[in-house]
């Protein structure tokens, strides 16, 4: 009896993508830093805010609209650029300090350059989060887009 093929998951760890593409995680981080690859994280009821369109006259700043984020959110190139190794020597344990996340391209927006981001899809986390390398993900949509765009022939 043959078992049916199971569907692929919606998200892959950097380790899984590296195995598929025959590269290391550092290369994936560089792709994100140069806006070639979207890397994200899954948030679960994480406090965040967006800046509204009205001015708070007491502070002369735009008002903050608070929310809770749940689901997959893309990281900015500047956040991933802040990714560094834990300890004095490179290991497979990256720390990625994150202050902002974005609605991922598969949901509403497709972005490839930070300066073209739509203000409405940017969320500021209420406090800085540190994600480890095993928490950084590439969506199935983004993996397939990258492979098609770069004519990668994966079996």
């Amino acid at each position: 009896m043959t078992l049916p093929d199971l569907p692929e998951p919606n998200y892959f760890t950097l380790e899984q993508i590296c195995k598929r593409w025959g590269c290391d995680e550092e290369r994936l981080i560089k792709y994100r830093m140069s806006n070639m690859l979207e890397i994200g994280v899954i948030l679960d009821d994480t406090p965040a805010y967006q800046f509204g369109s009205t001015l708070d006259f007491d502070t002369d700043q735009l008002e903050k609209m608070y929310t809770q984020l749940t689901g997959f959110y893309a990281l900015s190139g500047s956040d991933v650029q802040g990714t560094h190794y834990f300890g004095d020597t490179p290991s497979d344990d990256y720390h990625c300090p994150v202050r902002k996340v974005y609605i991922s391209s598969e949901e509403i927006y497709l972005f490839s350059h930070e300066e073209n981001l739509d203000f409405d899809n940017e969320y500021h986390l209420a406090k800085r989060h540190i994600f480890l390398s095993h928490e950084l993900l590439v969506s199935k949509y983004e993996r397939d887009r990258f492979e098609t765009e770069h004519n990668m022939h994966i079996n």
Side-chain angles (χ1 to χ4, degrees), residues 31-54:
Y31 286 156
R32 175 57 248 169
M33 287 167 45
S34 62
N35 300 313
M36 292 174 62
L37 179 67
E38 185 178 275
I39 292 176
V41 292
I42 292 181
L43 301 177
D44 184 21
D45 223 15
T46 303
Y49 61 89
Q50 283 185 294
F51 286 106
S53 58
T54 58

Side-chain angles (χ1 to χ4, degrees), residues 95-108:
H95 278 193
C96 184
V98 174
R99 289 187 175 89
K100 294 182 203 171
V101 293
Y102 301 89
I103 296 171
S104 74
S105 61
E106 65 192 278
E107 293 178 7
I108 297 175

Side-chain angles (χ1 to χ4, degrees), residues 124-137:
H124 299 258
L125 300 183
K127 65 177 188 170
R128 186 174 76 154
H129 283 53
I130 304 289
F131 294 98
L132 301 179
S133 62
H134 70 274
E135 297 172 296
L136 302 179
L137 302 170

